């Protein structure tokens, strides 16, 4: 039941079980000055309808009359932004305190009353270089299909911070997010000291995840490691049910070391004494370290076999790319181990799963799991409505986005193989009357097959990466892998970042197209590298040319210009362009296909999950 108690606190009582408290009014501090966030919540007029199910689970339908959710949500984003301790993501935190990170994490959990409850979450803990998010997503979907209430914590988010917290496969609602967020915020701000400052962003989000999952009473919490493992904020978990390590590679070298063995040592830091662990086939240098650490802790470490397509019995793996077979195989092993160790495997499957056959619930989970920005295809055909009541649509060409947030050499190779294979399938609809809808995290395209025309296909690269990455490895890897499969890019577009690394934004946050204060030097260095790859030379971009490009978009004819006309010496770059902004780039691409219905533009968006998230945000508007 829900009760209002003195002090304006809403408490949720589960048959006299432990209570979760939510604040009505909040105050927070930035740089020592108090900022009031009393946004007149008018809780006195809030009505709640409570639905009880199976005697122990309470589902809440919030009828928040006159509750300014949007303004409060933006206030929460401002509060989160104040926790960003570095200028750019990827740089080391500037936090200096008496206690180390994991000691502080333990203290934060104790303040929130969570220290004794984390073990009850029955956690699956997953580290790795690539495939962590996919593996965790597969695990969540499988166990949800098995009938369990699930909690999933992943990072980063692409559009909205609530993506990091999934309950039963869905992002937590804005209303619940706000209740849990301000609950944690107030308790922590009331207890900070000089030796225990407010947690930086990821640490706060991690303790918030634990708070959400404990209060929501999930049966299983799948927790993705942020960076590394040994000193990661999530490694405050002391007794997981099972641990997993996905494919390892060279990433976050400034944090984890410059050898595969050093990186593996960090990842193996999530192993706990005698707790089963699973990994995937690794290079020998990494595998030796994993086995050595497992031996020290008496951890039974097993190498999970990749999934075979025939095991799905006609269903299709929901996440595209052959590399996902490795992640799916790891997820299967983790879920089987979790089910057995919690005493649920025999209860659910009885004798139906003896031998090698994959349980039906596992197959359903693997075929329905969804994850934004990983090998995702979005069709962006345009419609024109004569008035608000008319639903007739006019086709204006095909603009198709292939989104993958690859940002390491290994993931870029996987991305290139996926892109090459999916465009070869030629399943994309040609210019036609169509309808669009967002569903299950994807933009679905329904084609009118009666309309057919010949189209000219152009493969375009839309690229940006953080300056902590090495584009001299990423771009050649992309080009060579695609070329080996017969895929060649007509053009490459380099865009400045739209994301502000010192600001947490929501899906509805304002997007600026202002280019006057932007520094395009990084984008021009990417273009210079691209032209060098294409032409084998080292073109020099004149300053006058740079200024001209940042002030104007290329003409639509740019898409049709033949590469043979490219003359870097004369500043004639028909193979690439630096674009003023991402919003203007999307509009320019849309205008190009509108002007030519016979043109099919296939845009690979990669190099950064932030770029992928920004594109998705723009396409949803």
């Amino acid at each position: 039941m829900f009760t209002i108690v003195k002090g304006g606190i809403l408490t949720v009582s589960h048959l006299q079980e432990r209570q979760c408290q939510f604040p009505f009014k909040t105050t927070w501090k930035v740089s020592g000055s108090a900022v009031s966030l009393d946004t007149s919540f008018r809780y006195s007029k809030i009505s709640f309808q409570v639905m009880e199910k199976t005697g122990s689970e309470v589902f809440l339908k919030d009828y928040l009359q006159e509750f300014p959710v949007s303004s409060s949500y933006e206030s929460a984003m401002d509060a989160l932004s104040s926790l960003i301790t570095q200028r750019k993501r990827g740089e080391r935190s500037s936090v200096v305190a008496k206690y180390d990170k994991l000691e502080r994490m333990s203290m934060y959990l104790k303040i929130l009353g969570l220290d004794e409850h984390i073990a009850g979450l029955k956690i699956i803990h997953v580290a790795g270089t690539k495939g962590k998010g996919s593996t965790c997503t597969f695990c969540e979907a499988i166990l949800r299909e098995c009938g369990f209430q699930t909690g999933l914590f992943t990072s980063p988010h692409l559009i909205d911070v609530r993506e990091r917290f999934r309950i039963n496969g869905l992002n937590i609602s804005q209303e619940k997010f706000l209740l849990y967020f301000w609950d944690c915020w107030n308790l922590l701000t009331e207890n900070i000291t000089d030796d225990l400052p407010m947690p930086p962003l990821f640490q706060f989000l991690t303790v918030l995840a634990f708070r959400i999952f404990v209060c929501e009473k999930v049966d299983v919490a799948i927790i993705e490691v942020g960076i590394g493992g040994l000193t990661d904020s999530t490694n405050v978990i002391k007794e997981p049910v099972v641990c997993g390590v996905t494919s390892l590679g060279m990433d976050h070298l400034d944090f984890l070391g410059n050898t595969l063995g050093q990186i593996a040592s960090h990842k193996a830091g999530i192993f706990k004494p005698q707790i089963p662990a699973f990994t995937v086939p690794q290079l020998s240098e990494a595998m030796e370290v994993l086995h050595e650490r497992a031996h020290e802790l008496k951890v039974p470490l097993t190498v999970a076999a990749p999934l075979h397509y025939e095991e799905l019995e006609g269903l299709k793996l929901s996440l595209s790319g052959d590399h996902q077979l490795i992640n799916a195989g790891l997820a299967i092993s983790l879920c089987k181990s979790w089910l057995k160790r919690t005493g649920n495997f025999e209860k659910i499957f009885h004798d139906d799963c003896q031998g090698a056959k994959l349980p039906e619930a596992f197959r359903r989970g693997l075929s329905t799991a969804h994850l934004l920005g990983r090998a995702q295809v979005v069709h962006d055909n345009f419609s024109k409505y004569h008035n608000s009541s008319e639903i007739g649509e006019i086709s204006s060409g095909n603009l198709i986005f292939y989104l993958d947030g690859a940002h390491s050499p290994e993931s870029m190779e996987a991305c290139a193989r996926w892109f090459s294979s999916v465009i070869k399938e030629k399943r994309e609809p040609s210019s036609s009357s169509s309808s669009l809808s967002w569903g299950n995290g994807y933009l679905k395209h329904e084609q009118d097959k009666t309309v057919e025309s010949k189209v000219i296909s152009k493969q375009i690269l839309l690229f940006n990466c953080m300056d902590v990455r090495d584009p001299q490895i990423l771009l050649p890897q992309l080009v060579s892998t695609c070329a080996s499969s017969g895929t060649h890019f007509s053009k490459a577009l380099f865009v400045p970042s739209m994301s502000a690394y010192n600001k947490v934004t929501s899906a509805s946050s304002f997007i600026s197209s202002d280019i006057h204060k932007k520094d395009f030097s990084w984008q021009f260095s990417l273009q210079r590298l691209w032209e060098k790859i294409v032409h084998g030379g080292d073109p020099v971009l004149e300053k006058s040319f740079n200024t001209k490009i940042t002030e104007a978009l290329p003409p639509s004819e740019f898409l049709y210009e033949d590469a043979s006309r490219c003359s870097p010496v004369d500043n004639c770059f028909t193979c690439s362009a630096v674009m003023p902004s991402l919003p203007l780039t999307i509009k320019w691409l849309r205008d190009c296909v509108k002007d030519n219905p016979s043109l099919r533009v296939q845009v690979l968006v990669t190099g950064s999950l932030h770029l992928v998230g920004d594109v998705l945000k723009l396409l949803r508007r």
Side-chain angles (χ1 to χ4, degrees), residues 11 17 34 78 87 138 151 181 255 356 363-364 384 413 479 504 516 519 525 545 601:
T11 67
E17 294 178 11
D78 290 337
R87 186 175 182 181
F138 279 136
F181 173 83
F255 287 98
R363 288 186 277 114
R364 287 199 307 268
K384 293 182 180 180
E413 180 181 4
V479 172
V504 179
H516 299 295
D519 179 4
S525 67
F545 180 73
V601 179

Side-chain angles (χ1 to χ4, degrees), residues 392-451:
E393 296 178 343
I394 300 176
S395 172
S396 52
N398 288 290
L399 178 58
I400 309 167
F401 290 91
Y402 300 79
L403 302 120
D404 192 277
H407 51 267
S408 69
E410 296 83 2
S411 60
M412 188 60 72
E413 180 181 4
C415 168
R417 294 189 185 282
W418 162 72
F419 177 66
S420 297
S421 65
V422 75
I423 64 171
K424 279 188 175 182
E425 292 176 359
K426 296 182 180 179
R427 297 183 196 170
E428 293 80 18
S430 56
S431 179
S432 64
S433 177
S434 61
S435 61
L436 300 175
S437 62
W438 286 94
N440 198 32
Y442 294 86
L443 188 60
K444 298 179 179 179
H445 180 280
E446 299 174 4
Q447 178 190 5
D448 180 358
K449 296 183 180 179
T450 62
V451 181

Side-chain angles (χ1 to χ4, degrees), residues 130-131 134-135 138 247 306-309 312 315-329 366 369 371 373-377 402-404 410-423 425 427 442 604:
K130 59 178 182 175
S134 299
T135 299
F138 279 136
S247 299
L307 174 73
H308 295 288
Y309 282 118
L312 292 172
L315 295 177
K316 185 179 180 181
L317 200 63
S318 61
L319 302 183
S320 300
D322 290 342
H323 60 287
Q324 294 293 359
L325 296 172
I326 296 175
N327 299 326
L366 293 170
L371 187 62
R374 278 75 163 184
Q376 181 181 359
V377 182
Y402 300 79
L403 302 120
D404 192 277
E410 296 83 2
S411 60
M412 188 60 72
E413 180 181 4
C415 168
R417 294 189 185 282
W418 162 72
F419 177 66
S420 297
S421 65
V422 75
I423 64 171
E425 292 176 359
R427 297 183 196 170
Y442 294 86
L604 175 62

Side-chain angles (χ1 to χ4, degrees), residues 499-517:
S499 296
Y501 297 111
N502 61 348
K503 171 68 176 175
V504 179
T505 58
S506 69
S508 59
S509 296
F510 173 73
I511 296 175
S512 173
S513 297
D514 181 39
I515 65 174
H516 299 295
K517 296 181 179 180

Side-chain angles (χ1 to χ4, degrees), residues 165-177:
F165 315 96
R166 285 201 212 174
I167 304 295
N168 296 323
L170 300 175
N171 298 345
I172 190 170
S173 68
Q174 277 198 7
E175 293 81 4
K176 281 192 174 183
F177 174 85

